[in-house]
mmCIF file of all heavy atoms in Angstrom:
data_model
loop_
_atom_site.group_PDB
_atom_site.id
_atom_site.type_symbol
_atom_site.label_atom_id
_atom_site.label_comp_id
_atom_site.label_asym_id
_atom_site.label_seq_id
_atom_site.Cartn_x
_atom_site.Cartn_y
_atom_site.Cartn_z
ATOM 1 N N LEU A 1098 65.417 119.199 135.780
ATOM 2 C CA LEU A 1098 66.621 119.975 135.513
ATOM 3 C C LEU A 1098 67.754 118.994 135.246
ATOM 4 O O LEU A 1098 68.038 118.128 136.077
ATOM 5 C CB LEU A 1098 66.938 120.875 136.705
ATOM 6 C CG LEU A 1098 68.136 121.817 136.598
ATOM 7 C CD1 LEU A 1098 67.870 123.079 137.397
ATOM 8 C CD2 LEU A 1098 69.416 121.149 137.113
ATOM 9 N N ARG A 1100 71.839 118.572 133.357
ATOM 10 C CA ARG A 1100 73.033 119.207 132.792
ATOM 11 C C ARG A 1100 73.651 118.288 131.747
ATOM 12 O O ARG A 1100 73.825 117.099 131.971
ATOM 13 C CB ARG A 1100 74.059 119.507 133.889
ATOM 14 C CG ARG A 1100 73.675 120.657 134.792
ATOM 15 C CD ARG A 1100 74.831 121.071 135.693
ATOM 16 N NE ARG A 1100 74.454 122.146 136.579
ATOM 17 C CZ ARG A 1100 74.508 123.435 136.266
ATOM 18 N NH1 ARG A 1100 74.944 123.793 135.061
ATOM 19 N NH2 ARG A 1100 74.140 124.355 137.127
ATOM 20 N N LEU A 1105 72.608 123.685 130.378
ATOM 21 C CA LEU A 1105 71.601 123.327 131.359
ATOM 22 C C LEU A 1105 70.255 123.222 130.655
ATOM 23 O O LEU A 1105 69.880 124.113 129.880
ATOM 24 C CB LEU A 1105 71.540 124.392 132.457
ATOM 25 C CG LEU A 1105 70.642 124.111 133.664
ATOM 26 C CD1 LEU A 1105 71.183 122.944 134.475
ATOM 27 C CD2 LEU A 1105 70.536 125.361 134.537
ATOM 28 N N LEU A 1168 67.450 132.998 133.021
ATOM 29 C CA LEU A 1168 66.793 131.800 133.548
ATOM 30 C C LEU A 1168 66.107 132.112 134.861
ATOM 31 O O LEU A 1168 64.975 131.660 135.101
ATOM 32 C CB LEU A 1168 67.829 130.690 133.745
ATOM 33 C CG LEU A 1168 67.312 129.417 134.430
ATOM 34 C CD1 LEU A 1168 66.218 128.764 133.600
ATOM 35 C CD2 LEU A 1168 68.458 128.447 134.687
ATOM 36 N N LEU A 1172 62.147 131.566 135.716
ATOM 37 C CA LEU A 1172 61.688 130.817 136.887
ATOM 38 C C LEU A 1172 60.795 131.682 137.769
ATOM 39 O O LEU A 1172 59.749 131.228 138.252
ATOM 40 C CB LEU A 1172 62.898 130.326 137.693
ATOM 41 C CG LEU A 1172 63.711 129.177 137.102
ATOM 42 C CD1 LEU A 1172 65.017 129.016 137.862
ATOM 43 C CD2 LEU A 1172 62.918 127.887 137.138
ATOM 44 N N LEU A 1225 59.779 121.510 141.404
ATOM 45 C CA LEU A 1225 60.547 122.752 141.370
ATOM 46 C C LEU A 1225 61.361 122.954 142.642
ATOM 47 O O LEU A 1225 62.425 123.581 142.600
ATOM 48 C CB LEU A 1225 59.606 123.943 141.160
ATOM 49 C CG LEU A 1225 59.146 124.215 139.735
ATOM 50 C CD1 LEU A 1225 58.191 125.393 139.710
ATOM 51 C CD2 LEU A 1225 60.320 124.469 138.832
ATOM 52 N N VAL A 1226 60.871 122.443 143.756
ATOM 53 C CA VAL A 1226 61.599 122.606 145.018
ATOM 54 C C VAL A 1226 62.965 121.945 144.913
ATOM 55 O O VAL A 1226 64.004 122.551 145.214
ATOM 56 C CB VAL A 1226 60.786 122.013 146.183
ATOM 57 C CG1 VAL A 1226 61.565 122.128 147.490
ATOM 58 C CG2 VAL A 1226 59.431 122.707 146.302
ATOM 59 N N GLY A 1227 62.992 120.697 144.447
ATOM 60 C CA GLY A 1227 64.261 120.000 144.295
ATOM 61 C C GLY A 1227 65.131 120.608 143.211
ATOM 62 O O GLY A 1227 66.363 120.663 143.342
ATOM 63 N N MET A 1228 64.495 121.099 142.117
ATOM 64 C CA MET A 1228 65.260 121.704 141.035
ATOM 65 C C MET A 1228 66.006 122.946 141.506
ATOM 66 O O MET A 1228 67.199 123.130 141.206
ATOM 67 C CB MET A 1228 64.316 122.048 139.874
ATOM 68 C CG MET A 1228 63.755 120.829 139.157
ATOM 69 S SD MET A 1228 62.356 121.242 138.078
ATOM 70 C CE MET A 1228 63.096 122.462 137.001
ATOM 71 N N LEU A 1229 65.326 123.816 142.236
ATOM 72 C CA LEU A 1229 65.965 125.041 142.701
ATOM 73 C C LEU A 1229 67.037 124.753 143.753
ATOM 74 O O LEU A 1229 68.062 125.432 143.802
ATOM 75 C CB LEU A 1229 64.913 125.998 143.256
ATOM 76 C CG LEU A 1229 64.042 126.659 142.180
ATOM 77 C CD1 LEU A 1229 62.874 127.384 142.797
ATOM 78 C CD2 LEU A 1229 64.877 127.615 141.352
ATOM 79 N N HIS A 1230 66.828 123.730 144.564
ATOM 80 C CA HIS A 1230 67.871 123.361 145.520
ATOM 81 C C HIS A 1230 69.099 122.812 144.792
ATOM 82 O O HIS A 1230 70.234 123.026 145.236
ATOM 83 C CB HIS A 1230 67.344 122.341 146.519
ATOM 84 C CG HIS A 1230 66.524 122.938 147.617
ATOM 85 N ND1 HIS A 1230 65.171 123.169 147.497
ATOM 86 C CD2 HIS A 1230 66.860 123.392 148.852
ATOM 87 C CE1 HIS A 1230 64.718 123.709 148.605
ATOM 88 N NE2 HIS A 1230 65.718 123.864 149.450
ATOM 89 N N SER A 1231 68.863 122.128 143.670
ATOM 90 C CA SER A 1231 70.001 121.659 142.871
ATOM 91 C C SER A 1231 70.769 122.836 142.280
ATOM 92 O O SER A 1231 72.007 122.830 142.242
ATOM 93 C CB SER A 1231 69.514 120.734 141.754
ATOM 94 O OG SER A 1231 68.913 119.570 142.287
ATOM 95 N N LEU A 1232 70.029 123.844 141.818
ATOM 96 C CA LEU A 1232 70.699 125.033 141.301
ATOM 97 C C LEU A 1232 71.515 125.720 142.394
ATOM 98 O O LEU A 1232 72.650 126.144 142.161
ATOM 99 C CB LEU A 1232 69.671 126.010 140.724
ATOM 100 C CG LEU A 1232 69.112 125.702 139.333
ATOM 101 C CD1 LEU A 1232 68.022 126.707 138.967
ATOM 102 C CD2 LEU A 1232 70.220 125.738 138.287
ATOM 103 N N MET A 1233 70.905 125.829 143.568
ATOM 104 C CA MET A 1233 71.626 126.499 144.663
ATOM 105 C C MET A 1233 72.843 125.693 145.109
ATOM 106 O O MET A 1233 73.848 126.262 145.530
ATOM 107 C CB MET A 1233 70.669 126.733 145.836
ATOM 108 C CG MET A 1233 69.599 127.774 145.549
ATOM 109 S SD MET A 1233 68.591 128.211 146.991
ATOM 110 C CE MET A 1233 67.727 126.688 147.284
ATOM 111 N N ALA A 1234 72.750 124.367 145.000
ATOM 112 C CA ALA A 1234 73.894 123.541 145.380
ATOM 113 C C ALA A 1234 75.079 123.744 144.442
ATOM 114 O O ALA A 1234 76.225 123.495 144.829
ATOM 115 C CB ALA A 1234 73.486 122.070 145.394
ATOM 116 N N GLY A 1235 74.818 124.207 143.214
ATOM 117 C CA GLY A 1235 75.896 124.423 142.251
ATOM 118 C C GLY A 1235 76.395 125.840 142.187
ATOM 119 O O GLY A 1235 77.143 126.193 141.257
ATOM 120 N N PHE A 1236 76.006 126.688 143.137
ATOM 121 C CA PHE A 1236 76.445 128.084 143.122
ATOM 122 C C PHE A 1236 77.977 128.183 143.124
ATOM 123 O O PHE A 1236 78.571 128.887 142.303
ATOM 124 C CB PHE A 1236 75.875 128.828 144.325
ATOM 125 C CG PHE A 1236 74.429 129.207 144.182
ATOM 126 C CD1 PHE A 1236 73.671 129.574 145.288
ATOM 127 C CD2 PHE A 1236 73.814 129.188 142.937
ATOM 128 C CE1 PHE A 1236 72.343 129.937 145.152
ATOM 129 C CE2 PHE A 1236 72.473 129.542 142.797
ATOM 130 C CZ PHE A 1236 71.745 129.907 143.907
ATOM 131 N N ALA A 1237 78.613 127.493 144.068
ATOM 132 C CA ALA A 1237 80.061 127.604 144.194
ATOM 133 C C ALA A 1237 80.766 126.974 142.996
ATOM 134 O O ALA A 1237 81.750 127.525 142.475
ATOM 135 C CB ALA A 1237 80.515 126.943 145.494
ATOM 136 N N LYS A 1238 80.267 125.838 142.550
ATOM 137 C CA LYS A 1238 80.926 125.119 141.455
ATOM 138 C C LYS A 1238 80.899 125.906 140.158
ATOM 139 O O LYS A 1238 81.880 125.932 139.411
ATOM 140 C CB LYS A 1238 80.263 123.758 141.271
ATOM 141 C CG LYS A 1238 80.886 122.922 140.158
ATOM 142 C CD LYS A 1238 80.208 121.568 140.059
ATOM 143 C CE LYS A 1238 80.821 120.729 138.942
ATOM 144 N NZ LYS A 1238 80.175 119.404 138.837
ATOM 145 N N TYR A 1239 79.758 126.575 139.883
ATOM 146 C CA TYR A 1239 79.604 127.267 138.607
ATOM 147 C C TYR A 1239 79.784 128.776 138.732
ATOM 148 O O TYR A 1239 79.511 129.518 137.789
ATOM 149 C CB TYR A 1239 78.230 126.949 138.002
ATOM 150 C CG TYR A 1239 78.087 125.481 137.668
ATOM 151 C CD1 TYR A 1239 77.413 124.621 138.535
ATOM 152 C CD2 TYR A 1239 78.647 124.952 136.511
ATOM 153 C CE1 TYR A 1239 77.284 123.272 138.237
ATOM 154 C CE2 TYR A 1239 78.526 123.600 136.213
ATOM 155 C CZ TYR A 1239 77.844 122.770 137.069
ATOM 156 O OH TYR A 1239 77.743 121.430 136.779
ATOM 157 N N GLY A 1240 80.215 129.254 139.888
ATOM 158 C CA GLY A 1240 80.542 130.664 140.056
ATOM 159 C C GLY A 1240 79.374 131.599 139.856
ATOM 160 O O GLY A 1240 79.504 132.644 139.209
ATOM 161 N N THR A 1241 78.215 131.260 140.419
ATOM 162 C CA THR A 1241 77.034 132.108 140.280
ATOM 163 C C THR A 1241 77.206 133.403 141.057
ATOM 164 O O THR A 1241 77.714 133.402 142.187
ATOM 165 C CB THR A 1241 75.787 131.360 140.788
ATOM 166 O OG1 THR A 1241 75.689 130.101 140.100
ATOM 167 C CG2 THR A 1241 74.525 132.164 140.538
ATOM 168 N N ASP A 1242 76.824 134.506 140.448
ATOM 169 C CA ASP A 1242 76.943 135.815 141.088
ATOM 170 C C ASP A 1242 76.188 135.832 142.419
ATOM 171 O O ASP A 1242 75.112 135.250 142.551
ATOM 172 C CB ASP A 1242 76.383 136.890 140.153
ATOM 173 C CG ASP A 1242 76.542 138.276 140.727
ATOM 174 O OD1 ASP A 1242 77.611 138.871 140.588
ATOM 175 O OD2 ASP A 1242 75.560 138.750 141.333
ATOM 176 N N LEU A 1245 72.676 137.249 142.302
ATOM 177 C CA LEU A 1245 71.776 136.308 141.643
ATOM 178 C C LEU A 1245 71.445 135.148 142.562
ATOM 179 O O LEU A 1245 70.326 134.611 142.523
ATOM 180 C CB LEU A 1245 72.423 135.803 140.346
ATOM 181 C CG LEU A 1245 71.536 134.978 139.417
ATOM 182 C CD1 LEU A 1245 70.297 135.754 139.019
ATOM 183 C CD2 LEU A 1245 72.320 134.554 138.177
ATOM 184 N N GLN A 1246 72.379 134.759 143.399
ATOM 185 C CA GLN A 1246 72.107 133.707 144.375
ATOM 186 C C GLN A 1246 70.978 134.111 145.311
ATOM 187 O O GLN A 1246 70.102 133.303 145.641
ATOM 188 C CB GLN A 1246 73.369 133.414 145.193
ATOM 189 C CG GLN A 1246 74.502 132.758 144.404
ATOM 190 C CD GLN A 1246 75.693 132.458 145.294
ATOM 191 O OE1 GLN A 1246 75.539 132.232 146.496
ATOM 192 N NE2 GLN A 1246 76.887 132.450 144.712
ATOM 193 N N ARG A 1247 70.987 135.374 145.727
ATOM 194 C CA ARG A 1247 69.927 135.847 146.622
ATOM 195 C C ARG A 1247 68.570 135.785 145.930
ATOM 196 O O ARG A 1247 67.567 135.383 146.530
ATOM 197 C CB ARG A 1247 70.219 137.285 147.066
ATOM 198 C CG ARG A 1247 71.514 137.430 147.860
ATOM 199 C CD ARG A 1247 71.636 138.816 148.456
ATOM 200 N NE ARG A 1247 72.932 139.001 149.114
ATOM 201 C CZ ARG A 1247 73.962 139.610 148.555
ATOM 202 N NH1 ARG A 1247 73.858 140.095 147.322
ATOM 203 N NH2 ARG A 1247 75.101 139.723 149.217
ATOM 204 N N TYR A 1248 68.530 136.176 144.663
ATOM 205 C CA TYR A 1248 67.269 136.154 143.932
ATOM 206 C C TYR A 1248 66.766 134.725 143.744
ATOM 207 O O TYR A 1248 65.573 134.444 143.854
ATOM 208 C CB TYR A 1248 67.453 136.830 142.572
ATOM 209 C CG TYR A 1248 67.783 138.299 142.665
ATOM 210 C CD1 TYR A 1248 68.619 138.898 141.734
ATOM 211 C CD2 TYR A 1248 67.256 139.082 143.677
ATOM 212 C CE1 TYR A 1248 68.927 140.240 141.808
ATOM 213 C CE2 TYR A 1248 67.562 140.423 143.768
ATOM 214 C CZ TYR A 1248 68.402 141.005 142.832
ATOM 215 O OH TYR A 1248 68.700 142.332 142.920
ATOM 216 N N LEU A 1249 67.666 133.799 143.455
ATOM 217 C CA LEU A 1249 67.259 132.411 143.284
ATOM 218 C C LEU A 1249 66.749 131.821 144.598
ATOM 219 O O LEU A 1249 65.809 131.024 144.604
ATOM 220 C CB LEU A 1249 68.435 131.595 142.751
ATOM 221 C CG LEU A 1249 68.783 131.822 141.275
ATOM 222 C CD1 LEU A 1249 70.089 131.137 140.917
ATOM 223 C CD2 LEU A 1249 67.670 131.327 140.376
ATOM 224 N N ARG A 1250 67.364 132.212 145.704
ATOM 225 C CA ARG A 1250 66.854 131.755 147.001
ATOM 226 C C ARG A 1250 65.453 132.307 147.250
ATOM 227 O O ARG A 1250 64.602 131.629 147.847
ATOM 228 C CB ARG A 1250 67.805 132.192 148.119
ATOM 229 C CG ARG A 1250 69.159 131.472 148.103
ATOM 230 C CD ARG A 1250 69.927 131.734 149.384
ATOM 231 N NE ARG A 1250 71.262 131.147 149.334
ATOM 232 C CZ ARG A 1250 72.368 131.817 149.000
ATOM 233 N NH1 ARG A 1250 72.283 133.118 148.713
ATOM 234 N NH2 ARG A 1250 73.536 131.216 148.961
ATOM 235 N N ASP A 1251 65.220 133.533 146.809
ATOM 236 C CA ASP A 1251 63.889 134.123 146.961
ATOM 237 C C ASP A 1251 62.858 133.331 146.162
ATOM 238 O O ASP A 1251 61.753 133.049 146.639
ATOM 239 C CB ASP A 1251 63.926 135.583 146.497
ATOM 240 C CG ASP A 1251 62.592 136.278 146.687
ATOM 241 O OD1 ASP A 1251 62.055 136.253 147.803
ATOM 242 O OD2 ASP A 1251 62.070 136.833 145.691
ATOM 243 N N VAL A 1252 63.222 132.945 144.939
ATOM 244 C CA VAL A 1252 62.311 132.131 144.130
ATOM 245 C C VAL A 1252 62.072 130.788 144.802
ATOM 246 O O VAL A 1252 60.947 130.274 144.825
ATOM 247 C CB VAL A 1252 62.887 131.934 142.707
ATOM 248 C CG1 VAL A 1252 61.989 131.008 141.896
ATOM 249 C CG2 VAL A 1252 63.016 133.269 141.997
ATOM 250 N N ALA A 1253 63.140 130.195 145.362
ATOM 251 C CA ALA A 1253 63.001 128.913 146.050
ATOM 252 C C ALA A 1253 62.037 129.024 147.223
ATOM 253 O O ALA A 1253 61.233 128.108 147.475
ATOM 254 C CB ALA A 1253 64.370 128.421 146.523
ATOM 255 N N ASP A 1254 62.083 130.144 147.949
ATOM 256 C CA ASP A 1254 61.150 130.345 149.068
ATOM 257 C C ASP A 1254 59.711 130.390 148.571
ATOM 258 O O ASP A 1254 58.815 129.789 149.172
ATOM 259 C CB ASP A 1254 61.491 131.636 149.809
ATOM 260 C CG ASP A 1254 62.795 131.531 150.591
ATOM 261 O OD1 ASP A 1254 63.234 130.397 150.844
ATOM 262 O OD2 ASP A 1254 63.373 132.593 150.918
ATOM 263 N N HIS A 1255 59.499 131.107 147.457
ATOM 264 C CA HIS A 1255 58.151 131.195 146.900
ATOM 265 C C HIS A 1255 57.659 129.824 146.420
ATOM 266 O O HIS A 1255 56.479 129.476 146.595
ATOM 267 C CB HIS A 1255 58.121 132.194 145.741
ATOM 268 C CG HIS A 1255 58.121 133.623 146.183
ATOM 269 N ND1 HIS A 1255 59.259 134.262 146.604
ATOM 270 C CD2 HIS A 1255 57.122 134.538 146.279
ATOM 271 C CE1 HIS A 1255 58.954 135.519 146.937
ATOM 272 N NE2 HIS A 1255 57.670 135.705 146.750
ATOM 273 N N VAL A 1256 58.547 129.056 145.807
ATOM 274 C CA VAL A 1256 58.165 127.728 145.327
ATOM 275 C C VAL A 1256 57.798 126.822 146.491
ATOM 276 O O VAL A 1256 56.804 126.089 146.440
ATOM 277 C CB VAL A 1256 59.309 127.101 144.502
ATOM 278 C CG1 VAL A 1256 59.041 125.629 144.242
ATOM 279 C CG2 VAL A 1256 59.480 127.827 143.188
ATOM 280 N N THR A 1257 58.584 126.861 147.552
ATOM 281 C CA THR A 1257 58.299 126.039 148.724
ATOM 282 C C THR A 1257 56.947 126.400 149.322
ATOM 283 O O THR A 1257 56.143 125.519 149.667
ATOM 284 C CB THR A 1257 59.403 126.212 149.783
ATOM 285 O OG1 THR A 1257 60.675 125.853 149.208
ATOM 286 C CG2 THR A 1257 59.137 125.337 150.989
#
Side-chain angles (χ1 to χ4, degrees):
L1098 183 148
R1100 287 190 181 274
L1105 187 67
L1168 174 62
L1172 287 168
L1225 280 178
V1226 178
M1228 291 166 57
L1229 287 170
H1230 280 86
S1231 297
L1232 282 175
M1233 291 187 293
F1236 283 163
K1238 181 178 180 180
Y1239 296 99
T1241 306
D1242 183 83
L1245 189 57
Q1246 292 182 29
R1247 298 189 185 99
Y1248 295 146
L1249 286 171
R1250 291 192 185 97
D1251 183 53
V1252 176
D1254 290 341
H1255 283 78
V1256 168
T1257 302

